[in-house]
Amino acid sequence: MVRFERVSKRYPGGRDALSGVNFELGRGEFAFLTGHSGAGKSTLLKLMMLMDRPSRGKVFVDGQDLASLRPGQVPFHRRKIGVVFQNHQLLFDRTVFDNVALPLQIAGFSPAEAARRVRAALDSVGLLGKEARTPIELSGGEQQRVGIARAVVNKPALLLADEPTGNLDPELSAEIMDLFVRFQQVGVTVLIATHDIALIEQMGHRRLILDHGQLVAGGNAVEDDIYG
Ligand code: ADP
Ligand code: ADP
């Protein structure tokens, strides 16, 4: 589902934020992405979303070399990816329904089809019945569930999360992780950037570790054989 081939990224005037990164994520795989602050986690996620471009190397998503996409294809690429942020990035003056429906409106779904999908997404995170609330009326854990519902409402093949449990206590964090596992169980590829080592160890999934832009663990041995 995801393949990085010798990917490096250097921001203007900086050191390499990523350096020679090789890895593959299979379809339906679940992995964590860890590393110190500034290790390159957000940069790696951004390259997959085409929010930025590598300085060297190739990024493939769903078999497609992202460098080969024409500008008109970029929105279709982004629709394959759901993204969850630490701070939810919800609109606090809109209802839960409107927040989750946003990606569907952008994608041009009919109101009836959008409503059906929004309910399905809210059901998948246990928030059916809260459509008319505004985020301010919800707990932190519920707000993060709204963020996840919005990320999955387009039925993405790939789900990325950047510190999705950063503001939550351990119990709520475990509940949010259970949701990600359930999406993996229905075939979604999941990659979660997090500092929460306790949670990672408790869950025992594959762990990619970045250190100063280099993937120091969790990459694929096959890649090293080919390119090493
Ligand atoms: P992480 O998500 O692991 O904290 P980032 O990917 O945000 O790491 O950052 C990796 C490195 O790249 C850091 O040194 C950071 O300061 C730098 N960096 C990230 N984004 C930019 C940018 N837009 N411009 C310049 N430097 C950046
Ligand atoms: P995180 O720890 O999740 O990477 P940061 O606070 O490091 O978040 O970065 C927040 C935003 O600022 C990101 O979009 C990142 O790309 C950008 N950024 C990080 N470092 C720099 C930098 N040195 N110069 C410009 N932008 C940066």
Side-chain angles (χ1 to χ4, degrees):
M1 186 67 207
V2 175
R3 181 179 173 91
F4 273 55
E5 284 182 8
R6 293 192 146 182
V7 171
S8 296
K9 174 66 184 177
R10 174 170 297 182
Y11 293 103
R15 293 184 305 125
D16 280 359
L18 291 176
S19 179
V21 170
N22 291 314
F23 72 92
E24 252 178 23
L25 276 182
R27 201 169 284 278
E29 199 170 351
F30 187 115
F32 288 110
L33 176 63
T34 61
H36 59 89
S37 183
K41 303 181 295 296
S42 300
T43 299
L44 192 147
L45 298 180
K46 281 181 191 172
L47 295 180
M48 287 182 231
M49 295 181 265
L50 269 177
M51 286 167 67
D52 219 329
R53 302 270 182 178
S55 310
R56 272 175 288 136
K58 282 184 182 295
V59 178
F60 296 84
V61 174
D62 201 16
Q64 187 117 47
D65 177 356
L66 298 190
S68 72
L69 291 180
R70 285 178 281 106
Q73 295 174 300
V74 172
F76 295 98
H77 165 70
R78 293 217 175 108
R79 244 166 260 165
K80 291 180 189 167
I81 306 179
V83 188
V84 178
F85 302 93
Q86 173 176 354
N87 55 5
H88 330 302
Q89 305 207 344
L90 300 178
L91 303 171
F92 280 84
D93 59 342
R94 305 277 191 89
T95 62
V96 166
F97 182 96
D98 287 348
N99 270 281
V100 176
L102 208 61
L104 299 175
Q105 285 159 2
I106 293 167
F109 282 93
S110 73
E113 176 63 10
R116 197 187 64 72
R117 286 184 176 231
V118 169
R119 279 193 299 274
L122 286 172
D123 192 24
S124 73
V125 300
L127 282 184
L128 208 52
K130 308 236 174 184
E131 292 94 323
R133 306 285 184 90
T134 57
I136 225 135
E137 300 171 290
L138 304 179
S139 70
E142 287 174 330
Q143 289 176 8
Q144 190 54 293
R145 285 164 187 267
V146 176
I148 294 170
R150 185 183 51 190
V152 300
V153 75
N154 263 328
K155 299 198 177 226
L158 175 61
L159 188 52
L160 305 177
D162 201 349
E163 296 288 352
T165 61
N167 295 321
L168 303 177
D169 65 38
E171 199 175 320
L172 284 176
S173 297
E175 285 177 18
I176 294 293
M177 287 299 170
D178 284 344
L179 284 179
F180 286 118
V181 170
R182 273 196 254 153
F183 289 114
Q184 183 219 1
Q185 285 166 349
V186 295
V188 178
T189 307
V190 180
L191 181 62
I192 302 175
T194 180
H195 282 106
D196 197 338
I197 304 299
L199 198 58
I200 292 172
E201 286 177 350
Q202 181 186 326
M203 294 185 63
H205 289 278
R206 179 175 170 193
R207 182 170 168 192
L208 303 167
I209 306 179
L210 280 171
D211 185 357
H212 295 93
Q214 298 200 357
L215 196 58
V216 294
N220 305 61
V222 180
E223 303 280 337
D224 296 339
D225 288 345
I226 295 171
Y227 300 103

